[in-house]
Amino acid sequence: EPVTLSGLECDFGYRDSIFKRELMDRVVITAVDLRLERTPALNTDYPALAAALAGRNVAALTPLDVFDAVVKLRRARLPDPAVEPNVGSFFKNPFIEADLAYTLVKRFPAMPLFPQAGGNFKTSAAWLIDFCGWKGQRRGGVGVHPGHALVLVNYCGGSGVELLSLAAEIADSVARTFAVSLEIEPRIYRRAA
């Protein structure tokens, strides 16, 4: 039966919502209503984006300027799925407790840590994977893209089983090295036996 949820009821968060938790596999989204502001609020804080826009008058930027810069950045680092089949950002950036974050940054001073509300930290899954030596590695027909450690690529007819096996190897090496668990971003549906 049709139901309407407000934005607040959807409980949106970092790559998360009620549709990935309580309502997972229980609803189908058939329509989305958006309320847009007439005055743009541009967020150019992402480090690579800020660097790409360096020297430009931030006050004079338009949403199209930011869009063009983001597209250019993504094209430079990420494979075109029409040319190189891939699953995009495969792991979520993990959240870690403050005690573990402080311990890890002593051992790995270059490890990026981003403070979060409540005293915990978010870190870069790509950095963890890259540190473990996975960027550019291949297993059978699948591998990790050489330009971005979060992107898993199907190079030559690899299977879903191969891809998930590679993902498990990556997650295991990150857990052994950093004591940090990686969470797969895309939903995994397995064929019924």
Side-chain angles (χ1 to χ4, degrees):
E1 75 185 52
V3 63
T4 300
L5 300 175
S6 70
L8 189 61
E9 289 171 315
C10 292
D11 195 23
F12 292 116
Y14 169 71
R15 295 182 175 185
D16 193 32
S17 72
I18 193 171
F19 305 107
K20 287 188 169 186
R21 295 184 318 272
E22 296 89 344
L23 294 181
M24 183 168 64
D25 294 334
R26 295 182 57 212
V27 298
V28 174
I29 300 169
T30 60
V32 177
D33 292 326
L34 301 174
R35 181 178 301 131
L36 304 175
E37 297 293 329
R38 293 187 184 272
T39 306
L42 304 179
N43 182 347
T44 59
D45 294 341
Y46 186 72
L49 180 58
L53 297 170
R56 304 216 21 210
N57 178 359
V58 176
L61 289 175
T62 68
L64 184 57
D65 294 328
V66 175
F67 171 82
D68 289 341
V70 168
V71 168
K72 185 176 179 181
L73 284 169
R74 293 184 69 79
R75 283 190 178 140
R77 294 189 67 203
L78 302 173
D80 180 348
V83 176
E84 208 170 13
N86 69 84
V87 290
S89 292
F90 199 76
F91 296 102
K92 291 182 181 182
N93 287 326
F95 292 88
I96 55 179
E97 293 183 3
D99 290 345
L100 177 58
Y102 295 130
T103 299
L104 288 172
V105 82
K106 287 178 188 173
R107 288 182 51 211
F108 309 100
M111 182 178 179
L113 292 173
F114 307 97
Q116 302 296 300
N120 292 332
F121 291 85
K122 182 168 66 170
T123 191
S124 166
W127 189 90
L128 301 174
I129 295 165
D130 191 14
F131 186 91
C132 290
W134 284 101
K135 193 188 288 186
Q137 295 295 314
R138 291 187 183 202
R139 295 288 188 272
V142 298
V144 180
H145 192 267
H148 200 299
L150 269 185
V151 178
L152 302 187
V153 179
N154 185 341
Y155 286 109
C156 50
S159 69
V161 170
E162 282 182 295
L163 185 88
L164 292 175
S165 177
L166 172 63
E169 279 188 73
I170 293 168
D172 184 57
S173 70
V174 166
R176 282 192 322 267
T177 304
F178 299 101
V180 171
S181 296
L182 292 180
E183 182 182 348
I184 292 175
E185 168 74 18
R187 291 291 314 282
I188 307 297
Y189 290 96
R190 300 180 193 278
R191 195 178 290 174

